[in-house]
Amino acid sequence: MSARVLFLSHAGVLGGAELSLLDLARGLGGRAHVTLFQDGPFRERLDAAGVGVGVMAASPGLLGVGRGGGALSSLRSVPGVLRQVGTVALQARAFDVLYANSQKAFVVAALAGPLARRPVVWHLRDLLTAEHFGAAHRRLVVALANGLAARVLANSEATAAAFVEAGGAPGKVRVVHNGIAPGPFDAVTEADVRQTRTALGLGPGSVVGVFSRLAQWKGQHVLVEALPRLPGVQALLVGEALFGEDAYAAELRTRAAALGVADRVVFAGFRADVPALMKACDVVAHTSVAAEPFGRVVVEGMLAARPVVAADAGGVREIVEDGRTGRLVRPGDPAALADAVAALLARPDAARRMAAAGRDAARSRFAVGAMVAAVAAEIDACAARGQRGDLAWGVGALNLHGGDGADAVRE
């Protein structure tokens, strides 16, 4: 069976989750259509890739609910959510499966699926922990998943474990690691690297790059604070503040000036040429101070054949074999980051061997084709089973008080 799938995503910007969805939709070809709740660069990339895409504008109430949102903010979003649910349910009837690529999209899909009598798949790309989300938020999405999702696809074992620990039903979860295509990294030439470094104004010294939106938990400040321990090393920060995090971006510049390293920090902003930028670096650093659910930039750094130094937490531990395919260091520790970077720069032959091992591991373990095949199999299995029950059944199965979710699973 080749089920038709309606992908839902609330975001119009481009991040790791959106790039992964782009690969999935492209890999599924004519079986897939993407509906976004916001317009933006993501829609443009889907269009350019030949993926069917439309925009169903969501209310500010839905889009404005944050990770730590409590009951009041959730209640304010209810009218907008219900309107979106009805519209999505009508659209979903032309498809076999509803597939939510984000948490906000999942709330809508979970309620729209039973109305349309279509199974719902949630691609969980976040760690449902207190470090990232408020208790009310965690209880809500876990209850919806236990009662109304046919399948929860987690992007790492760490993500799956956090879901279960939050009360998610273990039988609903399958782990599918993200896949990332090596072709764009292989295509970058040495001439491209030289041109990129010149265009960025980088000097002849070593460069350490961090590739992520500018956000406190992404930890760009850890590299900035490590620079005084790394004489002559330049920092390349690729990304911009996307979700109201402009104050942090300004703070980074202030901190760099206070430490006397502002002349060694390049803020490149959002860029589409990540492969060339990574290859312009001597080391790719992953600096998140909170655990990552996966760590896409870590795999990308490995595919760029650059030694990677990454924070030792979350899904990153499933990517990097410390000392062989990269280095793992204590999260949020500028001294540990500086020591690891300095050791790699002092031993270039060892760094090249590590980078080569990392590239080979990334190519074999995180292939796009494997990700698409695994997701397609889950979609087809859910479509074959069909939507059981209706919205009243699903709501009756919800377990809003947490727990192990066992009572919410009726297989």
Side-chain angles (χ1 to χ4, degrees):
M1 178 179 183
S2 295
R4 294 197 67 215
V5 56
L6 175 61
F7 287 102
L8 298 180
S9 180
H10 78 277
V13 298
L14 274 168
E18 291 71 43
L19 292 171
S20 180
L21 174 53
L22 174 63
D23 285 331
L24 283 173
R26 188 162 41 196
L28 292 172
R31 301 171 54 182
H33 181 86
V34 179
T35 290
L36 305 178
F37 295 169
Q38 278 185 315
D39 201 359
F42 185 28
R43 192 264 308 157
E44 295 169 4
R45 287 286 290 273
L46 288 162
D47 262 338
V51 175
V53 59
V55 178
M56 182 187 295
S59 71
L62 170 60
L63 296 175
V65 176
R67 290 175 169 236
L72 182 59
S73 63
S74 297
L75 284 173
R76 286 172 177 162
S77 73
V78 166
V81 170
L82 295 180
R83 284 193 296 271
Q84 202 81 1
V85 165
T87 308
V88 168
L90 289 174
Q91 186 183 21
R93 293 181 184 180
F95 298 87
D96 301 301
V97 174
L98 258 175
Y99 193 112
N101 195 59
S102 64
Q103 292 198 46
K104 290 174 184 177
F106 172 62
V107 172
V108 173
L111 299 175
L115 290 174
R117 302 192 68 81
R118 296 295 184 269
V120 175
V121 175
W122 179 22
H123 205 134
L124 177 56
R125 302 178 184 277
D126 296 301
L127 290 172
L128 293 178
T129 63
E131 195 172 25
H132 291 281
F133 297 97
H137 180 111
R138 298 197 306 275
R139 284 195 297 270
L140 173 63
V141 294
V142 167
L144 288 172
N146 286 345
L148 298 171
R151 180 71 71 230
V152 177
L153 298 184
N155 61 359
S156 69
E157 297 288 350
T159 297
F163 172 74
V164 172
E165 188 173 343
K172 296 224 176 210
V173 188
R174 301 290 184 274
V175 174
V176 179
H177 285 125
N178 291 340
I180 301 170
F185 298 89
D186 296 341
V188 177
T189 66
E190 288 302 317
D192 294 331
V193 171
R194 289 193 296 271
Q195 182 178 359
T196 299
R197 288 181 66 113
T198 299
L200 289 168
L202 294 169
S206 299
V207 178
V208 180
V210 175
F211 296 77
S212 175
R213 78 175 197 263
L214 302 182
Q216 176 74 34
W217 82 273
K218 291 293 187 179
Q220 285 88 353
H221 62 275
V222 180
L223 176 56
V224 171
E225 292 174 4
L227 283 183
R229 301 169 181 265
L230 296 166
V233 172
Q234 301 160 93
L236 174 63
L237 305 184
V238 179
E240 60 187 15
L242 295 179
F243 304 115
E245 293 154 328
D246 302 271
Y248 177 71
E251 180 188 338
L252 284 173
R253 290 177 167 83
T254 301
R255 195 171 304 194
L259 292 171
V261 297
D263 60 331
R264 292 195 277 135
V265 180
V266 175
F267 290 85
F270 174 80
R271 298 281 294 255
D273 55 341
V274 166
L277 291 165
M278 282 191 167
K279 288 211 164 189
C281 297
D282 299 279
V283 176
V284 171
H286 164 266
T287 56
S288 293
V289 298
E292 289 272 5
F294 180 66
R296 181 183 180 93
V297 296
V298 176
V299 178
E300 290 177 333
M302 294 161 73
L303 289 173
R306 294 298 180 262
V308 173
V309 179
D312 185 11
V316 172
R317 291 172 171 168
E318 299 164 42
I319 299 171
V320 175
E321 182 181 344
D322 189 28
R324 193 182 78 83
T325 62
R327 287 293 315 277
L328 294 175
V329 298
R330 189 166 49 252
D333 189 334
L337 176 63
D339 288 346
V341 169
L344 289 168
L345 296 178
R347 302 176 61 200
D349 290 342
R352 279 191 290 270
R353 288 193 296 271
M354 180 178 289
R359 179 196 58 212
D360 293 345
R363 291 175 73 99
S364 65
R365 296 183 55 222
F366 304 106
V368 170
M371 174 187 69
V372 172
V375 170
E378 295 294 343
I379 288 171
D380 290 343
C382 290
R385 287 177 57 202
Q387 173 65 35
R388 298 181 61 183
D390 55 18
L391 183 59
W393 173 89
V395 172
L398 298 185
N399 174 12
L400 288 168
H401 300 290
D404 63 7
D407 293 336
V409 185
R410 299 185 181 181
E411 294 293 349

